[in-house]
Amino acid sequence: MICLGIEGTAHTISVGIVDKVDEKCKILSHISRTYKPEGGGIHPREAANHHAKHIPSIIEESIEKANIDVKEIDMIGFSIGPGLGPCLRTAATSARTLALLLKKPIVGVNHCIAHLEIGRALTKCNDPVLLYVSGGNTQVIAFMRGRYRVFGETLDIGIGNCLDKFGREIGLSFPAGPKIEKLAKKGNKYISLPYSVKGMDVSFSGILTACIHLLKKERIEDICYSLQETCFSMLAEVTERAMAHTEKEEVLLSGGVACNERLKEIIKKMAQERNAKFFSPPNELLVDNGVMIAWTALLMYASGIEHKIEETNIKQNYRTDEVEIKWRN
Ligand code: ATP
Ligand code: FE2
């Protein structure tokens, strides 16, 4: 069964075409375009315009690259939420149009759950605790009693957002995460920052402010190093707590910030110390992508879920634990 999936919750518009063969995920094609704000943060309307401009051509290109006839597409999946309203609406409109045109079923997918499902499909993990770290999201998620539940999350901004905002202060263009990673490698002095874990939750805005205050006093490399070490240790702590609580023995790392080698190292070490296994999908599927949407839509459809067009309204604040997970037991 072949699904064309459209992702468009934030910066990235992406189309993935996936074939489900013997319960396995076979990626036929994957094309993404990312909106890069010129200065300042993401402007939802501008990002949506970017998506609207690119979506027709990437749909065409991805079908061509998958080497299939458009008639071979069995269903359409799209990211229904959570995310930025204008971006979500743009992706949803294209998905509806395609589904109506091709007379095929449509399924709206929760973006956070899609990160988890693609990890389960492409790595050898089965029942992990997911640490999902991107620009807008920072959540620790695991499956329990029929739902994916959030065991911890950020109380303010996402970790990626924290890195990008600090980057902007020091003149780095978006996305700043990878550039901060490079600078941090040259740092060696740990400067104490406000480590803020509250129960199972984390918060980053205090650390961001503290780093900005350090700018004229310390080397930029040392600030980047300390920023990463502090934030990543906090993430490791809450992830470990969720693993202990749920008694799960696998940890899956996903989201754009998971591209960071130091974060991978810290989470891997935490897992090894508790005899658990560490997994992370390849970098191009850590960041937002249409493949994870297509794959999750296929799982949902096979479990009997299909949305009527009037049920495809976007859900800006779609919560992870709202979704009934019929495809797992
Ligand atoms: P969403 O929150 O909806 O998932 P997003 O647009 O933030 O959306 P991603 O593509 O998953 O989605 O992540 C982008 C983020 O990842 C940016 O904040 C970027 O700075 C960060 N990032 C990318 N590479 C690295 C890296 N090597 N180290 C740290 N952060 C990184
Ligand atoms: Fe994401």
Side-chain angles (χ1 to χ4, degrees):
M1 177 133 186
I2 297 181
C3 179
L4 182 148
I6 304 177
E7 155 62 33
T9 53
H11 295 88
T12 302
I13 184 79
S14 173
V15 173
I17 301 183
V18 171
D19 194 0
K20 186 154 160 266
V21 195
D22 299 332
E23 301 307 310
K24 294 223 166 64
C25 172
K26 188 173 169 211
I27 302 168
L28 302 183
S29 68
H30 170 210
I31 299 177
S32 302
R33 299 268 186 280
T34 298
Y35 158 77
K36 300 205 167 95
E38 302 242 319
I42 181 171
H43 189 295
R45 193 65 254 163
E46 278 176 22
N49 288 343
H50 162 274
H51 297 353
K53 182 174 144 204
H54 288 286
I55 188 86
S57 62
I58 63 174
I59 289 175
E60 242 181 70
E61 273 176 55
S62 56
I63 294 172
E64 208 172 294
K65 207 168 152 196
N67 203 12
I68 55 167
D69 189 275
V70 65
K71 291 193 205 86
E72 288 175 75
I73 297 171
D74 298 301
M75 63 175 293
I76 305 296
F78 74 102
S79 51
I80 196 166
L84 306 169
C87 301
L88 288 169
R89 260 175 237 117
T90 306
T93 307
S94 336
R96 285 183 208 115
T97 313
L98 269 180
L100 290 170
L101 206 71
L102 302 175
K103 300 194 176 66
K104 297 291 177 185
I106 183 167
V107 173
V109 174
N110 177 294
H111 175 92
C112 308
I113 289 179
H115 274 288
L116 200 148
E117 288 301 347
I118 198 66
R120 289 179 69 227
L122 299 182
T123 71
K124 292 205 170 82
C125 73
N126 178 46
D127 186 20
V129 167
L130 167 73
L131 171 58
Y132 167 35
V133 279
S134 67
N137 293 292
T138 303
Q139 295 191 332
V140 179
I141 304 170
F143 186 69
M144 202 179 233
R145 283 178 276 115
R147 303 249 160 168
Y148 282 121
R149 299 182 193 273
V150 178
F151 286 88
E153 63 192 319
T154 177
L155 298 171
D156 43 49
I157 52 176
I159 169 74
N161 199 236
C162 171
L163 297 171
D164 294 333
K165 278 190 167 147
F166 180 68
R168 211 185 309 149
E169 292 290 330
I170 58 174
L172 304 176
S173 64
F174 177 87
K179 295 154 199 153
I180 291 177
E181 178 174 19
K182 274 201 189 126
L183 288 165
K185 280 191 181 140
K186 295 184 202 137
N188 48 29
K189 173 181 162 195
Y190 181 75
I191 309 154
S192 174
L193 291 169
Y195 184 96
S196 40
V197 171
K198 292 172 186 126
M200 303 285 264
D201 298 321
V202 289
S203 97
F204 298 110
S205 59
I207 300 176
L208 174 62
T209 311
C211 285
I212 295 170
H213 283 314
L214 287 173
L215 278 176
K216 291 210 167 94
K217 299 182 202 126
E218 301 281 355
R219 280 173 70 224
I220 198 76
E221 291 84 353
D222 291 333
I223 306 176
C224 291
Y225 168 73
S226 309
L227 171 62
Q228 281 198 173
E229 293 302 303
T230 309
C231 295
F232 297 171
S233 307
M234 286 160 45
L235 293 170
E237 181 182 334
V238 291
T239 309
E240 177 163 34
R241 203 165 293 152
M243 293 178 77
H245 180 74
T246 57
E247 298 179 349
K248 297 204 192 280
E249 286 162 358
E250 298 171 332
V251 60
L252 175 68
L253 184 60
S254 188
V257 181
C259 295
N260 189 293
E261 292 302 326
R262 180 63 184 144
L263 177 61
K264 280 187 188 153
E265 191 184 358
I266 289 176
I267 302 299
K268 195 172 183 179
K269 189 150 177 261
M270 177 275 285
Q272 281 165 348
E273 277 169 10
R274 33 182 315 117
N275 285 325
K277 288 195 178 120
F278 170 85
F279 301 91
S280 196
N283 280 2
E284 69 271 18
L285 296 173
L286 284 178
V287 298
D288 290 350
N289 65 83
V291 168
M292 67 181 190
I293 301 297
W295 173 248
T296 311
L298 281 164
L299 292 176
M300 291 171 75
Y301 186 73
S303 76
I305 302 167
E306 181 183 341
H307 294 136
K308 298 197 188 81
I309 289 293
E310 54 275 23
E311 290 170 338
T312 57
N313 283 332
I314 59 143
K315 300 176 182 176
Q316 250 172 286
N317 300 312
Y318 201 11
R319 284 182 16 191
T320 304
D321 56 10
E322 258 179 75
V323 188
E324 205 185 333
I325 313 297
K326 293 189 179 166
W327 60 95
R328 285 189 62 169
N329 43 38

